[in-house]
């Protein structure tokens, strides 16, 4: 696609339910990233994929959070047993080249706004 | 661990002014410094990327500079317009994914 696509754009869920957030990166981009932005906070790194593997998942806040990427393209971020503190915008991004290269511009999607009630 | 700081947190200027946004980072071993814009309720739009070997990049009324040795970058906006009102974020990347500052919220008053 022309840009990074995320779905759903908005999700309201009850505490304790599981949610899945989807990211479709720019075609041909090998690297994919998930970030979280809470109200009034900066962007918090969650996980980085290079192809289908995740060399850096150091930012996942707890074992309730998991992510996978299949076919080197679409990624799904899953949050199990959601808590109110999980309410945030979840932003996905992609880049043509892996982390660690010069000139590696990163492009973001519009985000998935998650509200846990 | 890389830390990125942006000053000021918020800035309000009259239309037509030139302005400078500041970004500092603690680890100078970076490959790229990228500036983004975020409008309320929206994702991030990439504005400029400066490679570590470069000193500055320009796009229209925007000019970003990088002083890697001192751990600083600035974003200069010339002849500001109300449409420039947004939050501006800088982010540094080395051998780890982008680390972001908390942003500067800019308001340009007509």
């Amino acid at each position: 696609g022309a840009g990074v696509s995320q779905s759903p754009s908005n999700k309201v869920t009850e505490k304790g339910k599981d949610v899945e957030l989807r990211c479709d990166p720019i075609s041909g981009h090998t690297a994919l990233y998930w970030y979280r932005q809470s109200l009034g906070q900066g962007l918090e790194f969650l996980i980085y994929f290079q192809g289908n593997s995740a060399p850096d998942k150091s930012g996942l806040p707890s074992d309730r959070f998991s992510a996978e990427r299949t076919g080197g393209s679409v990624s799904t971020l899953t949050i199990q047993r959601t808590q109110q503190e999980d309410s945030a915008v979840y932003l996905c991004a992609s880049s043509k080249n892996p982390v660690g290269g010069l000139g590696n511009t990163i492009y973001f999607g519009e985000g998935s706004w998650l509200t846990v009630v | 661990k890389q830390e990125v700081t942006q000053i000021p947190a918020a800035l309000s200027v009259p239309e037509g002014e030139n302005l400078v946004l500041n970004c500092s980072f603690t680890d100078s071993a970076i490959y790229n410094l990228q500036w983004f814009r975020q409008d309320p309720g929206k994702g991030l739009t990439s504005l400029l990327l400066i490679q570590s070997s470069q000193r500055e990049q320009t796009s229209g009324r925007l000019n970003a500079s990088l002083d890697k040795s001192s751990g600083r970058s600035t974003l200069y906006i010339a002849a500001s317009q109300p449409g420039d009102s947004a939050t501006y974020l800088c982010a540094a990347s080395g051998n780890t994914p982008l680390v972001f500052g908390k942003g500067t919220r800019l308001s340009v008053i007509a």
Side-chain angles (χ1 to χ4, degrees):
Chain A
V4 178
S5 178
Q6 292 188 245
S7 62
S9 54
N10 284 284
K11 175 75 175 180
V12 179
T13 190
E14 292 182 351
K15 178 181 173 181
K17 300 278 190 180
D18 297 352
V19 296
E20 283 190 355
L21 307 176
R22 176 188 167 105
C23 174
D24 200 344
I26 294 172
S27 178
H29 279 197
T30 63
L32 186 147
Y33 315 80
W34 284 98
Y35 285 82
R36 177 169 74 173
Q37 187 175 35
S38 303
L39 189 64
Q41 300 298 312
L43 271 82
E44 175 188 7
F45 167 75
L46 298 177
I47 188 169
Y48 155 57
F49 286 94
Q50 180 55 37
N52 291 335
S53 64
D56 190 345
K57 43 189 173 184
S58 61
L60 294 177
S62 75
D63 58 8
R64 296 187 296 106
F65 288 72
S66 63
E68 64 174 12
R69 188 180 186 196
T70 55
S73 181
V74 172
S75 175
T76 303
L77 177 68
T78 301
I79 309 172
Q80 296 179 310
R81 306 181 301 281
T82 52
Q83 303 294 313
Q84 288 186 327
E85 61 263 29
D86 299 334
S87 296
V89 181
Y90 290 82
L91 290 159
C92 178
S94 70
S95 62
K96 186 174 181 181
N97 297 315
V99 166
L102 288 173
N104 193 30
T105 301
I106 296 177
Y107 300 92
F108 278 80
E110 291 292 308
S112 290
W113 295 70
L114 175 66
T115 303
V116 182
V117 298
Chain B
K1 180 185 173 184
Q2 179 72 272
E3 292 182 4
V4 178
T5 303
Q6 292 188 247
I7 295 173
L11 181 63
S12 182
V13 299
E15 181 178 5
E17 271 204 7
N18 302 324
L19 59 100
V20 174
L21 307 180
N22 296 295
C23 171
S24 61
F25 47 95
T26 55
D27 185 353
S28 62
I30 64 168
Y31 285 109
N32 305 295
L33 192 292
Q34 194 166 351
W35 282 91
F36 296 86
R37 167 184 174 140
Q38 186 175 31
D39 292 283
K42 299 291 186 181
L44 278 66
T45 300
S46 179
L47 297 173
L48 290 164
L49 179 144
I50 313 176
Q51 298 179 24
S52 60
S53 57
Q54 298 172 328
R55 296 286 291 184
E56 63 180 274
Q57 284 287 329
T58 298
S59 176
R61 294 182 293 108
L62 305 180
N63 176 277
S65 67
L66 175 65
D67 185 342
K68 189 179 163 185
S69 61
S70 69
R72 293 180 183 179
S73 177
T74 61
L75 180 66
Y76 174 83
I77 303 177
S80 58
Q81 303 171 357
D84 294 331
S85 298
T87 296
Y88 290 80
L89 296 150
C90 71
S93 67
N95 285 317
T96 57
L98 283 175
V99 176
F100 282 84
K102 292 191 175 181
T104 294
R105 188 171 67 253
L106 173 66
S107 297
V108 181
I109 311 301

